[in-house]
Amino acid sequence: MKYFSLMRYFLLLLVVWFYGMGISDFSDDAPHGIHFIRQTDGIAFIHHYLKSDDGFLSLGTLNLQSLAGKAACEFPLLYWVSAKSVDWLGQETSILRLLHGCFAIIGLWSLFGLSAFFVSSLFLRLMLIITTMTCTVFNFYAFNFLPDMAAWGMTLLGYFAWIRFFHLKGRRLLFLGALAFSLAGLFKITFLIHPAALLLAFAVVHFRWTLRTFFVVAVVTITVVLGWWAFVVYYNQLSGDTYFNTASKSIWDATADQRYRVFLAITKHWRNSYFPKYTWYGLGAMILVIIYSWKSIAKSLRLWWLFLLIFGVTYALFFWQQLEHHDYYFLNVLPWFLLVWILFFQALENARWKPWLRYSMLLLLCAFTISSCLKAKDKFHFRLNEVTEEERPIARLKELIQHNRDVFDGIKSEKVWVIGDKTKNGSLTLINAIGYTQPEQFNAAFLKKLIPLEITKVILLSDDIEAVRQLGFAGWKIVVKDSLNQTMLFTQR
């Protein structure tokens, strides 16, 4: 009951974060901003469920470049729940945002409970939660469409359950942790580095019983996760989908130029999205304090941190090329940075320092955390207002629809070819129709396939005179046109 009596402070922080950071301003918005392509893919999975009655394991998007649009990636539990909830709650964008937001809150709640095993001060535990909220990547993806946040939340829940199991020996906690880690791996297989690091750490400290207790659970967890991703590979091969990549892109397979570009992206561009400048200064100082007070920190906690560091570096090296364009990969190593705070707080509580030194460190901690919160809010709002290059054509299509709603009302039941869309599903999710998308360069060869493929509408989102000319010759006429935005809808004569 004592833990739940402290929850009011945690809940207050959540409310301040949700409204103070501005997350509430976009909680029901459609996909927007950085990684717009991957956001719309998530919505497309939901639309596929709504348009077909094939069942839970018949995954797909709206793009028919694969067989009947079938394609698989992460475990579709949240997409399926969203699809089933549309009639009850309304827009699927709000539902998926809410579900991922719930996983983010579960992760924060688990982190708050987890910290109690290593840090006694409520103030320091709350500072840990606030620090998480200074991470722009965390704030942006907390209520978003990417499954990485769900994997992050389940990872923290798995940590919390297994740490409680180590202390209380409750069998339910063991199974809860296994379930949480399994879900994290099903959403993103790379998150398996976390249970591996924790198990190795406690296997060293409690060698006899840890291996015996966890062996079966670990085998089952790994079998379930690997079984799912083996199914994904098989399913995509069977469907002819090559869009969803499940292979690693390691540093060893990269050219020297690629390695350097990724290094610049991490150190100059993404670094400011991970944590504000003053937080990085604080992290450096904390690590120095941790090294100085190494022996005063619990052995299991030290080993856990070190093993996670090793696995985190390995993960980064295996997916090095992906890091250039995917800042959300940082969510997988965010728990390691949060462990830095926990180690530092435990060192601060255990070290025999003079009171003035301890209080000085706390004041500095408060100062750079408050500063980081303000910076994180600015960066977060910058992201909300950012319009990516991939999103611009979809924005022009949206204006065309708004001025011609009567023409677009029945398009959801037709097959569409969208020219000028750089995404796989962006325009298709907007009009809620199945079809094909194509970047700016007009595909004359595909034009001959429109009739056999039963395509009834063509949308042009770019100023392509050649495309208009060839479509006209092939028997397509313009139904509506927006000369200002250079967008138009074609139908058969």
Side-chain angles (χ1 to χ4, degrees), residues 122-258:
L122 173 62
F123 173 77
L124 294 179
R125 292 170 59 198
L126 293 174
M127 289 297 293
L128 178 64
I129 303 301
I130 295 173
T131 297
T132 310
M133 296 172 179
T134 66
C135 178
T136 306
V137 172
F138 172 80
N139 292 329
F140 185 72
Y141 295 109
F143 285 82
N144 209 295
F145 303 101
L146 276 68
D148 299 70
M149 184 52 65
W152 184 86
M154 286 296 93
T155 295
L156 270 295
L157 178 60
Y159 276 151
F160 175 61
W162 276 6
I163 291 295
R164 279 185 66 88
F165 170 76
F166 286 130
H167 286 80
L168 304 178
K169 307 296 188 297
R171 189 170 294 274
R172 291 181 180 178
L173 294 168
L174 173 64
F175 293 125
L176 174 62
L179 175 62
F181 281 129
S182 296
L183 282 174
L186 290 170
F187 292 135
K188 285 289 179 178
I189 191 172
T190 51
F191 277 78
L192 284 182
I193 66 174
H194 297 279
L198 186 62
L199 282 178
L200 281 175
F202 279 88
V204 173
V205 179
H206 308 286
F207 180 76
R208 291 185 178 179
W209 67 268
T210 303
L211 291 182
R212 183 173 63 249
T213 305
F214 278 93
F215 179 76
V216 176
V217 175
V219 169
V220 171
T221 299
I222 293 173
T223 302
V224 169
V225 173
L226 294 183
W228 167 254
W229 289 102
F231 168 77
V232 168
V233 173
Y234 171 76
Y235 187 86
N236 288 339
Q237 288 178 346
L238 203 64
S239 305
D241 179 77
T242 58
Y243 175 75
F244 291 104
N245 178 35
T246 54
S248 65
K249 293 186 176 181
S250 69
I251 192 171
W252 301 281
D253 296 329
T255 63
D257 180 63
Q258 287 175 324

Side-chain angles (χ1 to χ4, degrees), residues 7 9 12 22 76 124 211 305 343 347 423 432 439 459-460 464 493:
M7 284 293 290
Y9 302 105
L12 177 62
L124 294 179
L211 291 182
W305 185 63
L343 266 73
T423 73
N432 192 15
I459 298 174
L460 182 62
D464 193 331
R493 296 185 187 278

Side-chain angles (χ1 to χ4, degrees), residues 427-444:
S427 55
L428 299 176
T429 56
L430 181 62
I431 60 178
N432 192 15
I434 59 175
Y436 304 84
T437 60
Q438 175 201 334
E440 292 181 1
Q441 186 176 1
F442 180 66
N443 188 342

Side-chain angles (χ1 to χ4, degrees), residues 65-109:
Q65 289 175 345
S66 58
L67 179 64
K70 293 185 181 296
C73 194
E74 57 274 349
F75 191 62
L77 175 64
L78 301 184
Y79 303 137
W80 182 81
V81 170
S82 296
K84 294 299 181 182
S85 305
V86 165
D87 292 336
W88 180 38
L89 294 175
Q91 292 294 324
E92 68 278 353
T93 55
S94 304
I95 298 169
L96 191 57
R97 280 190 185 276
L98 177 64
L99 287 173
H100 285 161
C102 288
F103 278 93
I105 292 172
I106 289 173
L108 290 174
W109 173 83

Side-chain angles (χ1 to χ4, degrees), residues 135-403:
C135 178
T136 306
V137 172
F138 172 80
N139 292 329
F140 185 72
Y141 295 109
F143 285 82
N144 209 295
F145 303 101
L146 276 68
D148 299 70
M149 184 52 65
W152 184 86
M154 286 296 93
T155 295
L156 270 295
L157 178 60
Y159 276 151
F160 175 61
W162 276 6
I163 291 295
R164 279 185 66 88
F165 170 76
F166 286 130
H167 286 80
L168 304 178
K169 307 296 188 297
R171 189 170 294 274
R172 291 181 180 178
L173 294 168
L174 173 64
F175 293 125
L176 174 62
L179 175 62
F181 281 129
S182 296
L183 282 174
L186 290 170
F187 292 135
K188 285 289 179 178
I189 191 172
T190 51
F191 277 78
L192 284 182
I193 66 174
H194 297 279
L198 186 62
L199 282 178
L200 281 175
F202 279 88
V204 173
V205 179
H206 308 286
F207 180 76
R208 291 185 178 179
W209 67 268
T210 303
L211 291 182
R212 183 173 63 249
T213 305
F214 278 93
F215 179 76
V216 176
V217 175
V219 169
V220 171
T221 299
I222 293 173
T223 302
V224 169
V225 173
L226 294 183
W228 167 254
W229 289 102
F231 168 77
V232 168
V233 173
Y234 171 76
Y235 187 86
N236 288 339
Q237 288 178 346
L238 203 64
S239 305
D241 179 77
T242 58
Y243 175 75
F244 291 104
N245 178 35
T246 54
S248 65
K249 293 186 176 181
S250 69
I251 192 171
W252 301 281
D253 296 329
T255 63
D257 180 63
Q258 287 175 324
R259 297 187 193 115
Y260 182 66
R261 288 204 316 266
V262 174
F263 176 77
L264 287 180
I266 294 172
T267 56
K268 291 189 176 181
H269 183 55
W270 294 137
R271 176 176 58 85
N272 293 322
S273 297
Y274 301 152
F275 287 114
K277 178 174 63 175
Y278 294 111
T279 301
W280 287 111
Y281 294 157
L283 272 166
M286 286 179 181
I287 291 175
L288 291 177
V289 172
I290 290 168
I291 294 172
Y292 178 78
S293 309
W294 188 250
K295 292 185 178 180
S296 66
I297 301 170
K299 184 178 180 181
S300 57
L301 183 57
R302 284 182 284 161
L303 290 172
W304 177 15
W305 185 63
L306 287 174
F307 281 126
L308 191 55
L309 173 62
I310 294 170
F311 288 139
V313 171
T314 304
Y315 155 77
L317 293 177
F318 269 98
F319 292 90
W320 184 260
Q321 298 176 56
Q322 299 284 71
L323 304 181
E324 182 180 0
H325 303 292
H326 301 84
D327 66 334
Y328 52 83
Y329 276 50
F330 180 73
L331 290 172
N332 199 11
V333 295
L334 178 57
W336 181 85
F337 287 91
L338 298 176
L339 280 179
V340 172
W341 263 267
I342 293 178
L343 266 73
F344 171 73
F345 291 154
Q346 189 173 92
L348 201 63
E349 289 186 340
N350 295 341
R352 297 178 180 178
W353 294 341
K354 293 182 179 180
W356 68 266
L357 181 58
R358 181 178 283 107
Y359 290 130
S360 296
M361 286 191 173
L362 288 175
L363 286 174
L364 284 173
L365 175 66
C366 291
F368 78 68
T369 301
I370 293 173
S371 173
S372 295
C373 284
L374 297 175
K375 291 291 184 182
K377 183 176 180 180
D378 292 340
K379 292 178 182 297
F380 178 65
H381 281 271
F382 175 79
R383 281 201 169 200
L384 291 183
N385 297 320
E386 184 179 7
V387 179
T388 62
E389 192 64 30
E390 296 81 8
E391 189 179 356
R392 295 183 191 279
I394 314 304
R396 295 198 295 269
L397 175 59
K398 189 174 183 179
E399 288 196 27
L400 183 67
I401 295 172
Q402 288 175 344
H403 291 95

